[in-house]
């Protein structure tokens, strides 16, 4: 039987946060016969955008995997949807809002996971004197880059609601914290300076934030087993963690057991006066699993070569694009670049045409770059690379190194 203890706090009509939560950057078209809520509509807009589709070829942990059973980022966001739906439904929160935040929370994530994010972060710091983190880039993608065609055939930005945009930039699931509470006031999301800089605006955003961590901890172990990178000694260490919780019917530390027990524990312990909370023993379990993953999976020596490869790919692509900026006009020198890199030149030119030039027929998306400025050109190159899938980045790199 659902607990529904948060039902009075759900972001639904009548909640004091409702008006600000459903507000969009600009007015969006409406159909007289549309049967969806604002948040259900956001879910659909994310589901049908190209950045969502590209998640199926973006790294979760293992780069450009050829194993069909290794988790990719598109599976991860759907796992987060499932976990957050279960929790929000039990607590009486708005499941349409958690679904929309969850499915969109990693849009625009760099190729090659956190290794790619690290490489791009270095480029941003060196060339743009700015910081880069994937939650911030996800907000940039859903606000300024991703487009959909409206009923009149015009390409327009996604224009999501404030609560969904807020949940995306505030989702950072890597942090260790318990007892999550939402903040009281809406803020300018572009003034957030660092990951986990502020809590989400809604309880639903808090649920997605913790669901992100619940979703990846067990699955990363499962993928490491499938990839055969865990040794007998590693498995022994995993079993030693398991033994501490045998009295709690945790007989195996697989993904199903870990997710089930953490979800149930969170649902039992969360309350409006306590926040979205996990019991102390399960906080200890979660942190123990996370430490195991870092020690035995994320820092595994076999990933080191890939990390160097990722940095080489991203830096090489950026260098090629920067080298072919005309000094006189500031534009991309398509003529000379396409002689050696036809595919890379074609796709980057299309990117610049969509976001850097005056808007053409049926193109009503935001213009992002003034290519007279070198800084804007560099930003365009980094945006272009950060939106790539693993496979596309590798294909472009192979073109760069082929004679």
């Amino acid at each position: 039987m659902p607990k529904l203890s948060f039902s009075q706090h759900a972001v639904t009509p009548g909640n004091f946060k409702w008006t600000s939560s459903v507000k969009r950057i600009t007015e969006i078209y409406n159909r007289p016969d549309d049967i969806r809520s604002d948040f259900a509509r956001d879910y659909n807009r994310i589901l049908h955008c190209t950045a969502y589709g590209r998640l199926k070829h973006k790294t979760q942990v293992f780069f450009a995997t050829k194993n069909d059973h290794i988790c990719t980022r598109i599976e991860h966001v759907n796992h987060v949807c499932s976990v957050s739906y279960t929790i929000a439904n039990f607590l009486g929160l708005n499941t349409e809002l958690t679904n929309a935040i969850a499915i969109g929370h990693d849009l625009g994530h760099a190729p090659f996971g956190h290794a790619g994010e690290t490489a791009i972060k270095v480029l941003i710091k060196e060339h743009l004197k700015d910081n880069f983190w994937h939650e911030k880039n996800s907000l940039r993608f859903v606000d300024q880059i991703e487009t959909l065609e409206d009923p009149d055939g015009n390409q327009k930005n996604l224009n999501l609601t404030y609560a969904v945009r807020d949940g995306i930039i505030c989702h950072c699931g890597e942090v260790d914290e318990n007892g999550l509470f939402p903040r009281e006031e809406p803020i300018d999301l572009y003034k957030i300076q660092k990951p986990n800089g502020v809590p989400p605006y809604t309880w639903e955003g808090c649920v997605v934030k913790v669901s992100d961590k619940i979703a990846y901890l067990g699955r990363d172990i499962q993928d490491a087993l499938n990839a055969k990178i865990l040794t007998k000694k590693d498995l022994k260490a995993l079993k030693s963690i398991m033994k501490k919780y045998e009295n709690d019917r945790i007989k195996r530390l697989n993904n199903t057991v870990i997710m089930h027990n953490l979800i149930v524990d969170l649902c039992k312990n969360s309350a409006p006066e306590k926040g979205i909370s996990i019991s102390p023993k399960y906080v200890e379990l979660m942190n123990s699993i996370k430490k195991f993953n870092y020690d035995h999976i994320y820092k595994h020596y076999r990933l080191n070569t890939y990390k160097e490869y990722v940095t080489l790919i991203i830096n090489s692509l950026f260098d090629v694009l920067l080298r072919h900026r005309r000094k006189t006009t500031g534009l991309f020198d398509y003529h000379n670049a396409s002689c050696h890199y036809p595919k890379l030149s074609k796709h980057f030119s299309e990117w610049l045409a969509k976001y850097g030039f005056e808007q053409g027929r049926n193109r009503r998306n935001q213009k992002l770059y003034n290519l007279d400025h070198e800084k804007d050109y560099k930003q365009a190159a980094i945006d272009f690379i950060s939106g790539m899938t693993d496979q596309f980045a590798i294909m472009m790199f192979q073109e760069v190194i082929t004679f």
Side-chain angles (χ1 to χ4, degrees):
M1 185 72 180
K3 185 178 179 182
L4 302 177
S5 56
F6 286 78
S7 56
Q8 292 185 345
H9 302 276
V11 180
T12 53
N15 184 296
F16 76 98
K17 292 185 176 181
W18 173 256
T19 300
S20 53
S21 292
V22 298
K23 187 176 182 180
R24 300 180 188 273
I25 297 172
T26 60
E27 290 295 321
I28 193 171
Y29 70 88
N30 288 298
R31 298 182 179 95
D33 58 347
D34 203 332
I35 60 175
R36 299 168 298 171
S37 71
D38 283 289
F39 300 138
R41 194 172 179 186
D42 281 358
Y43 176 89
N44 291 143
R45 292 179 73 77
I46 294 168
L47 181 68
H48 294 291
C49 77
T50 57
Y52 174 76
R54 289 197 299 270
L55 293 178
K56 66 178 173 287
H57 294 305
K58 283 180 180 267
T59 290
Q60 179 60 20
V61 173
F62 298 96
F63 307 114
T65 178
K66 301 298 183 183
N67 185 331
D68 291 339
H69 304 117
I70 296 292
C71 187
T72 62
R73 201 155 288 274
I74 200 168
E75 293 172 76
H76 167 70
V77 299
N78 283 286
H79 294 160
V80 177
C81 275
S82 174
V83 173
S84 60
Y85 176 88
T86 300
I87 295 170
N89 187 55
F90 182 85
L91 297 179
L93 292 168
N94 189 327
T95 57
E96 290 185 336
L97 176 52
T98 57
N99 279 346
I101 296 171
I103 200 173
H105 81 274
D106 272 350
L107 259 62
H109 201 295
F112 309 108
H114 289 285
E117 182 177 358
T118 299
I120 291 176
K121 185 180 297 184
V122 173
L123 290 177
I124 288 273
K125 184 176 182 179
E126 177 183 352
H127 293 276
L128 301 180
K129 311 303 179 188
D130 199 0
N131 61 346
F132 180 93
W133 30 289
H134 75 264
E135 296 91 348
K136 176 182 177 181
N137 203 51
S138 292
L139 181 68
R140 178 173 173 80
F141 262 73
V142 299
D143 278 358
Q144 301 176 356
I145 294 177
E146 282 305 301
T147 62
L148 284 176
E149 188 174 278
D150 70 10
D152 297 319
N154 297 312
Q155 288 290 329
K156 293 184 177 180
N157 295 104
L158 293 186
N159 196 17
L160 305 178
T161 59
Y162 179 83
V164 173
R165 297 169 56 240
D166 170 84
I168 288 172
I169 194 171
C170 294
H171 83 260
C172 183
E174 286 79 23
V175 295
D176 293 320
E177 58 183 325
N178 197 24
L180 298 178
F181 289 87
R183 67 179 192 276
E184 290 298 315
E185 300 295 332
I187 60 174
D188 181 349
L189 300 178
Y190 285 93
K191 290 185 177 180
I192 300 175
Q193 297 298 313
K194 60 182 180 178
N196 202 39
V198 297
Y201 181 54
T202 64
W203 284 107
E204 288 83 354
C206 293
V207 167
V208 174
K209 185 181 176 77
V210 71
S211 298
D212 187 24
K213 180 185 280 189
I214 291 173
Y216 77 70
L217 285 176
R219 183 53 195 259
D220 290 352
I221 292 173
Q222 182 178 316
D223 285 346
L225 290 169
N226 286 337
K228 295 181 172 56
I229 71 166
L230 295 179
T231 66
K232 290 182 179 180
K233 184 177 179 181
D234 296 335
L235 294 176
K236 185 176 180 180
L238 193 57
K239 288 179 181 178
S240 70
I241 296 174
M242 176 186 71
K243 287 181 180 179
K244 295 180 181 179
Y245 302 92
E246 284 183 337
N247 292 334
D248 298 306
R249 297 181 299 164
I250 299 181
K251 302 300 183 183
R252 294 183 63 84
L253 273 179
N254 60 34
N255 193 37
T256 300
V257 171
I258 291 170
M259 290 178 67
H260 172 80
N261 284 276
L262 288 174
I263 290 169
V264 171
D265 183 84
L266 183 147
C267 288
K268 287 180 178 178
N269 285 278
S270 296
E273 63 275 11
K274 291 172 57 181
I276 303 299
S277 301
I278 300 174
S279 66
K281 65 180 178 181
Y282 275 92
V283 169
E284 181 184 349
L285 172 62
M286 183 179 283
N287 290 337
S288 296
I289 295 171
K290 183 177 179 181
K291 185 177 186 305
F292 173 87
N293 287 4
Y294 270 93
D295 291 343
H296 302 279
I297 301 174
Y298 310 143
K299 295 180 180 179
H300 195 278
Y301 76 92
R302 283 191 61 192
L303 296 182
N304 291 337
T305 303
Y306 272 112
K307 291 174 184 177
E308 294 174 2
Y309 180 49
V310 166
T311 302
L312 176 64
I313 290 173
I314 289 175
N315 287 346
S316 298
L317 294 178
F318 180 77
D319 289 345
V320 167
L321 297 178
L322 188 58
R323 191 182 308 120
H324 285 85
R325 178 178 185 261
R326 290 176 176 167
K327 301 295 183 182
T328 52
T329 63
L331 301 178
F332 178 59
D333 188 354
Y334 176 82
H335 177 75
N336 287 323
S338 62
C339 295
H340 304 291
Y341 322 115
K343 291 181 180 179
L344 179 63
S345 300
K346 174 181 179 294
H347 289 290
F348 187 53
S349 294
E350 290 172 351
W351 184 275
L352 295 178
K354 184 172 183 179
Y355 301 107
F357 301 157
E358 293 299 328
Q359 301 304 307
R361 183 182 178 186
N362 298 332
R363 192 182 291 152
R364 303 289 186 268
N365 59 288
Q366 186 173 348
K367 181 181 176 183
L368 297 179
Y369 319 118
N370 179 351
L371 297 178
D372 291 338
H373 301 149
E374 184 178 7
K375 186 175 181 179
D376 278 19
Y377 183 93
K378 290 177 177 179
Q379 181 69 66
I382 290 173
D383 286 343
F384 175 61
I385 294 169
S386 71
M388 291 180 178
T389 64
D390 299 5
Q391 283 86 343
F392 185 78
I394 290 171
M395 181 172 67
M396 294 300 97
F397 176 71
Q398 288 174 339
E399 183 178 67
V400 166
I401 64 174
T402 300
F403 291 89

